[in-house]
Structure formats: structure tokens, C-alpha cells
Amino acid sequence: WRPRATQRATLFGGASRERSRRVETTSRDTGQSGRATSSVAALAYDAAIGARVTSRTLLSHSTMTSALSAFERSLDNNRGANTTDSIASGGLLSYQASRDAAVREASLRQDLGFAPSPRHTFDAGTEVHWLQTDWGWRIAGDRSLLEANASSIRLGQSLPAGFDSSIASQRVGAWVQDRW
């Protein structure tokens, strides 16, 4: 959109998603799935201030999410979720794990340009970013309490059954550039 000959506003947006699922077709006892999404939206405003000065303001927002999960039902101890006693009992054991992550960012940027001559430009700008990052996982089902394997919660060999982490942060930047 051009409100005036020396001004322009531009709106941009995009989104994507991806999904996958895999299940062992022979037994249906193991499987994995994944999902990812991303989106971005930005609004830019460009203006010429006289014959030698330019300004650009950019406001944007982006989001990325990702989720992974896996499951297994098994009698086989070498996969890590089973104990010797439970295999001897003849029962199927079940193990599930999932991981979720997300990053959201909003940013504001301001650029100013000055051209005192056709062969000399001076640029300066500043920007600020606001970020929110989330991470978590869940592990459920039959876990070995004695064996030091991937499902063990003893001997310091594995992860806790659940974890959630979230952090908000900000970044600020500024620059000056003189080109001849």
C-alpha cells in the first residue's frame, strides 16, 4: 500500500505445518509421531524523508512448535523398558515418551539511512526482540527400577518422568554503519 509516492506499507505472512506417523505394521507394538508448525507475520513501513533520508520500521511476530512422541509394547528386555521379572510373568509392558517445544518471538526494528552523496551512505538502527521459549517431556509406562538402561530412573542413567521449562527473554541491538 502506498499512501504517498514516498511511502510504502508492506504486509507479509506465511505458515507451514508438517505431520508424520509411523507404526510397525507387523505388530502395531511400536510407533512414532511428529508434528511441527511455523508461522510468521510482518508489517514494514518505508518512507523517504526528503531526498537523502530513508526510514524503515518493521514489526514482526513468529511462532514455531514441535512435538514428538513414541510408544512401545514389548516382551523384549533389550529395548530397555522391561525387567527380568516382568518378562517371566508373560505380560506385555508398555512405554511412552513425548517431547514438546515452542518458540514465540515478537520484534520491532527501526532503520534510518542518510546519503550525503551518491558514493557515501550512513545507516543506523535499533531493534528489540521479545522471546518465549517452552520445552517439556513426559515418560510414562513400565520402567525398569533396577537396570541402568534408558528407562531406568535410578543410578543417574535417565530422565525424570516429566519436565517443563519456560523462559521469557528480551534482546536489544543497535548499530551504525558508514559506507564510502
Side-chain angles (χ1 to χ4, degrees), residues 10 16 20 24 36 44 55 71 74 78 88 99 136 148 155 174:
T10 306
S16 70
S20 65
E24 291 290 334
S55 170
F71 72 91
S74 175
N78 68 11
R99 190 267 305 147
L155 305 173

Side-chain angles (χ1 to χ4, degrees), residues 32-166:
Q32 301 89 31
S33 66
R35 173 181 48 82
T37 63
S38 63
S39 63
V40 63
L43 176 62
Y45 179 74
D46 297 286
I49 305 165
R52 297 182 182 198
V53 178
T54 59
S55 170
R56 174 168 239 215
T57 305
L58 181 64
L59 177 65
S60 68
H61 184 273
S62 64
T63 302
M64 182 284 304
T65 64
S66 173
L68 299 172
S69 64
F71 72 91
E72 179 174 6
R73 289 181 296 273
S74 175
L75 289 173
D76 186 358
N77 192 39
N78 68 11
R79 295 187 186 184
N82 304 303
T83 64
T84 306
D85 292 340
S86 59
I87 291 171
S89 73
L92 278 175
L93 298 177
S94 177
Y95 183 74
Q96 305 89 33
S98 63
R99 190 267 305 147
D100 294 298
V103 178
R104 287 172 291 287
E105 177 184 20
S107 66
L108 177 62
R109 176 177 170 144
Q110 178 63 56
D111 295 322
L112 291 172
F114 172 60
S117 73
R119 299 186 62 161
H120 180 208
T121 60
F122 181 80
D123 299 302
T126 186
E127 64 184 12
V128 61
H129 297 259
W130 298 272
L131 294 126
Q132 176 69 42
T133 305
D134 302 306
W135 177 273
W137 71 71
R138 297 285 174 262
I139 302 172
D142 299 306
R143 297 178 77 172
S144 170
L145 298 178
L146 300 174
E147 305 299 324
N149 59 31
S151 74
S152 175
I153 58 174
R154 291 189 183 165
L155 305 173
Q157 296 296 315
S158 91
L159 304 171
F163 177 80
D164 289 301
S165 176
S166 183

